[in-house]
Amino acid sequence: MIEWRNWEGLVPYETALAAMEARVAAIARGEAGEAVWLLEHPPIYTAGTSAKPADLTDPARFPVYTAGRGGQYTYHGPGQRVVYAMLDLNTRGRDVRRFVAALEAWVIATLAEFGVTGETREGRVGVWVTRPDKPPMPDGTMREDKIAAIGVKLRRWVSFHGLSINVEPDLEHFSGIVPCGIREHGVTSLVDLGLPVTMADVDLALRRSFDRVFSETDEKPAATSAL
């Protein structure tokens, strides 16, 4: 059984990270079950293992943390649902790429409950939406905005960190970084897309879609990759 926990209020990043580290260690020792935590952070920037210093364009704006997860710079703040997924890939298949694809599929299934078509792109981790309401790119292609970021870390094949979905954050807060190192595209949120969606709505959609997505991926043969 997976423990689902909604953290109240704005959770300091250090508090969540320490709790997550302890839970992952307990899962790896067989002393605790898998967990999915849903929370919000105060405004912060976090740097993944591939973060480039030049992509932090306003370092004095918000606290900056080295996250240890994969990926580059991202923003967390009020109005964004952060999902920390502590899952045991020893039982779900030791395949990092498949796990990341499952997280993306989970986001896409969640967005679909609100009539939003989320998409993935080759070479870009995360979930994107096309913006036909915006002027096209200089080359004539349709603009795309990122609505969800994904960054994970594995320890003894137990995952932590996870994903974030923009529900109604202050999108201007993203201007202090180059989100995920991608300059040519923007960011959006469910409310920015014109949907009166609440955090509680998103939490229910995440719960409903989780079992469906992960039961499908768990049934597929697993390929073991080195870690």
Side-chain angles (χ1 to χ4, degrees):
M1 296 292 293
I2 294 177
E3 175 202 70
W4 288 79
R5 177 182 176 186
N6 278 74
W7 292 60
E8 296 295 328
L10 298 180
V11 183
Y13 183 75
E14 306 98 315
T15 300
L17 183 61
M20 190 164 41
E21 292 267 4
R23 184 58 177 258
V24 166
I27 294 171
R29 293 193 302 266
E31 298 172 358
E34 296 177 311
V36 175
W37 293 345
L38 308 174
L39 50 90
E40 293 174 83
H41 287 308
I44 59 170
Y45 296 132
T46 65
T49 54
S50 301
K52 301 174 183 177
D55 289 343
L56 180 61
T57 59
D58 191 356
R61 185 169 192 183
F62 299 127
V64 181
Y65 294 93
T66 300
R69 54 157 176 80
Q72 302 186 43
Y73 279 106
T74 193
Y75 164 79
H76 294 312
Q80 182 190 72
R81 175 50 83 215
V82 174
V83 182
Y84 288 138
M86 290 150 280
L87 304 178
D88 188 356
L89 271 62
N90 290 290
T91 60
R92 294 177 177 273
R94 294 182 173 185
D95 190 319
V96 179
R97 290 186 180 87
R98 194 179 74 177
F99 177 60
V100 171
L103 292 176
E104 292 173 330
W106 185 20
V107 172
I108 289 170
T110 298
L111 297 176
E113 296 212 9
F114 306 107
V116 175
T117 301
E119 301 175 348
T120 58
R121 291 290 182 264
E122 186 70 27
R124 293 191 238 151
V125 176
V127 178
W128 303 77
V129 294
T130 57
R131 300 302 304 266
D133 55 314
K134 290 186 174 183
M137 299 286 288
D139 62 359
T141 59
M142 191 179 299
R143 289 194 179 272
E144 301 173 341
D145 286 342
K146 193 168 193 176
I147 196 169
I150 292 173
V152 299
K153 182 177 180 179
L154 299 180
R155 181 174 297 153
R156 295 175 60 185
W157 290 104
V158 179
S159 70
F160 54 122
H161 297 281
L163 60 93
S164 59
I165 299 176
N166 296 333
V167 181
E168 193 180 6
D170 186 337
L171 296 178
E172 199 277 330
H173 286 181
F174 285 87
S175 65
I177 57 172
V178 178
C180 303
I182 298 172
R183 297 178 181 273
E184 62 269 28
H185 297 290
V187 291
T188 189
S189 68
L190 288 166
V191 171
D192 181 55
L193 293 173
L195 299 169
V197 177
T198 68
M199 199 70 73
D201 295 331
V202 172
D203 291 348
L204 287 173
L206 284 164
R207 291 286 298 267
R208 283 193 295 260
S209 57
F210 179 88
D211 287 338
R212 181 171 71 255
V213 169
F214 279 88
S215 63
E216 290 174 355
T217 58
D218 290 348
E219 288 170 1
K220 296 177 183 178
T224 302
S225 56
L227 187 68

